[in-house]
Amino acid sequence: MSQNVVLRRDGIAEGTLFAVLAAISFSHMLNDLIQSLIPSIYPILKTRFELSFAQVGLITLTFQLTASLLQPLVGLYTDRRPLPYSLVIGMGSTMCGVLLLSQASNFPMVLVAAALVGTGSSVFHPESSRVARLASGGRHGLAQSLFQVGGNVGSSLGPLMAAFVVVPRGQASVAWFSIAALLAIMVLWNVGRWYGAHLSARRKTKASARPIRGPGLPRGRVVSAVGILLVLIFSKYIYTASLNTYFTFYLIEKFHLSVQSAQVHLFVYLGAFALGTLAGGPLGDRVGRKYVIWFSILGVLPFTLMLPFANLFWTGVLVVPIGLILSSAFSAILVYAQELMPGRVGTVAGLFFGFAFGISGLGAAALGGLADRTSIEFVYRLCAFMPAIGLITMFLPHIEGIRVEAQGEVGSRGETEPI
């Protein structure tokens, strides 16, 4: 790919570094492919260990909580002390989780494996999101979308890998996916080298960096705006938890599909989700992130309301616009929050990725318990109304026309970062 890069006199590259973005997006794909294997093999684990839906939800809760609780702490720490090679360490934890999952002989071992994968995710996401922003050349929405779409592509491939690799060969075949983690470690080692060199170059020019200036909103207004964004994340990820965790069970129970056929339908939804992610960031750069958030959260409502009453054919059709529209918001929300809080890239990424993961885990556990007491179909009828919470987007401040006037964000150790 062409990189559209200009070198300043101090040796720091300006412009959008597509090679770095491609590397971090590829690593994100491998990371999330591995993560998506966990919910993709739930039918296998449920049968082998005779799990209830509540126990299935507990697996998701374990993974998501280890990811969510650590991510803000990792982001806060690395805002002050960036750790270029922490990406490699995080992926190493994920690889250990995969190997343990392939050999797990009881339910507690499955939970430990899920926790290791979640820990790897908690290290990976804040720092890789920072790398994407550093390489953005000012095109923040585009960079976050390219980073995010890698993860979504990986998530969509997970069910296919489960259907055609794990289902025919059994739980032990999960170990093959440690090769993907090893490949990601190799790529991330090179990303870490670039990241470290980039930080070293910026330390030399810290004295020339101008002070950070945000959008000029009062502190209370910023806090309330972040709170609104987190509520939007809540509505989005409760609904996505219902699809990511229980869609295969829904198809099997309502339409009597085989596990493989249900996984293919899940792949269609996740593929659409990936495409929507790719579109959301660049659209936010062009038309404004608030408008993208409006469209993504509320625009999906008619389709979610129709889904519980659709036959198999229309279920397959409806999950495509649901995936496309719903996924377009996250990149816009993340960049909007980073613009509200300049100089806190890692903290914002850790907070929002962590909150999204935590809500997904809690939502999956709660929805699993509800499904045990009622039915999977009732869960989908209830979740169909979640996107209506998007009406609170009207209370977000309009900051699109306010330009953040600074050449760099300066951390406590003097590193600068383009905003």
Side-chain angles (χ1 to χ4, degrees):
M1 296 182 181
S2 63
Q3 294 198 56
N4 189 29
V5 178
V6 177
L7 290 178
R8 295 190 337 211
R9 291 181 180 179
D10 53 25
I12 298 175
E14 291 185 329
T16 306
L17 303 175
F18 285 105
V20 176
L21 292 175
I24 205 69
S25 181
F26 178 71
S27 301
H28 199 186
M29 180 192 73
L30 296 175
N31 180 78
D32 284 21
L33 185 154
I34 294 169
Q35 291 178 13
S36 68
L37 280 178
I38 297 176
S40 296
I41 64 172
Y42 281 167
I44 296 174
L45 298 176
K46 188 175 188 295
T47 300
R48 179 176 179 189
F49 300 112
E50 299 180 349
L51 306 179
S52 66
F53 281 120
Q55 287 175 306
V56 170
L58 185 59
I59 299 173
T60 300
L61 177 64
T62 301
F63 162 68
Q64 303 287 25
L65 281 184
T66 52
S68 65
L69 293 178
L70 291 176
Q71 284 201 50
L73 298 177
V74 172
L76 183 63
Y77 181 84
T78 55
D79 274 337
R80 296 178 177 275
R81 297 177 179 272
L83 302 172
Y85 292 100
S86 63
L87 295 168
V88 174
I89 296 172
M91 192 59 64
S93 176
T94 297
M95 185 169 67
C96 292
V98 169
L99 292 172
L100 180 60
L101 181 61
S102 70
Q103 302 301 315
S105 58
N106 53 56
F107 183 58
M109 287 182 68
V110 172
L111 294 181
V112 173
L116 284 170
V117 175
T119 300
S121 178
S122 71
V123 177
F124 175 81
H125 284 96
E127 279 297 81
S128 56
S129 181
R130 185 198 308 280
V131 169
R133 191 170 178 90
L134 285 171
S136 70
R139 300 163 72 180
H140 301 145
L142 172 65
Q144 286 299 326
S145 281
L146 290 175
F147 167 63
Q148 281 295 109
V149 78
N152 292 145
V153 169
S155 296
S156 67
L157 290 175
L160 285 185
M161 297 295 102
F164 297 107
V165 177
V166 181
V167 171
R169 294 172 177 80
Q171 180 186 345
S173 63
V174 172
W176 285 102
F177 294 92
S178 63
I179 297 173
L182 185 60
L183 177 58
I185 287 172
M186 295 169 61
V187 174
L188 290 172
W189 181 266
N190 286 301
V191 170
R193 290 176 59 190
W194 173 84
Y195 185 11
H198 185 86
L199 291 176
S200 295
R202 288 195 170 275
R203 288 189 190 104
K204 297 174 183 178
T205 60
K206 63 182 180 181
S208 64
R210 288 183 293 179
I212 304 167
R213 291 182 57 189
L217 298 175
R219 181 181 178 84
R221 191 81 168 102
V222 172
V223 171
S224 66
V226 170
I228 291 170
L229 294 174
L230 290 175
V231 172
L232 295 176
I233 291 290
F234 170 84
S235 69
K236 168 183 164 62
Y237 276 90
I238 289 290
Y239 190 80
T240 56
S242 73
L243 287 171
N244 291 346
T245 304
Y246 299 111
F247 190 48
T248 53
F249 295 113
Y250 174 77
L251 294 171
I252 291 168
E253 181 176 306
K254 184 173 182 178
F255 302 114
H256 310 291
L257 296 185
S258 68
V259 173
Q260 284 186 325
S261 295
Q263 295 286 16
V264 171
H265 279 74
L266 181 60
F267 165 74
V268 171
Y269 158 71
L270 293 173
F273 199 92
L275 289 175
T277 301
L278 185 61
L283 278 175
D285 287 338
R286 288 180 175 273
V287 304
R289 304 185 214 291
K290 188 174 177 179
Y291 298 116
V292 173
I293 295 169
W294 262 115
F295 173 71
S296 176
I297 304 296
L298 273 180
V300 76
L301 184 60
F303 302 102
T304 63
L305 291 174
M306 288 188 286
L307 183 67
F309 306 99
N311 60 23
L312 178 60
F313 172 79
W314 283 107
T315 296
V317 171
L318 287 171
V319 294
V320 174
I322 288 174
L324 285 170
I325 298 172
L326 194 63
S327 63
S328 62
F330 189 80
S331 294
I333 289 174
L334 186 62
V335 175
Y336 184 99
Q338 289 172 342
E339 291 172 350
L340 281 172
M341 301 170 62
R344 298 290 181 267
V345 174
T347 302
V348 169
L351 174 64
F352 279 83
F353 277 112
F355 186 73
F357 282 18
I359 286 300
S360 295
L362 291 171
L367 294 176
L370 182 61
D372 284 333
R373 290 190 294 271
T374 57
S375 69
I376 286 290
E377 291 188 46
F378 177 80
V379 167
Y380 277 89
R381 291 193 185 100
L382 180 65
C383 288
F385 294 92
M386 292 301 298
I389 296 175
L391 285 169
I392 66 170
T393 303
M394 70 177 70
F395 298 110
L396 284 175
H398 186 76
I399 63 172
E400 309 295 346
I402 304 173
R403 184 175 180 84
V404 181
E405 297 180 8
Q407 284 185 331
E409 299 184 9
V410 185
S412 63
R413 294 180 65 190
E415 293 89 350
T416 58
E417 173 184 297
I419 59 178

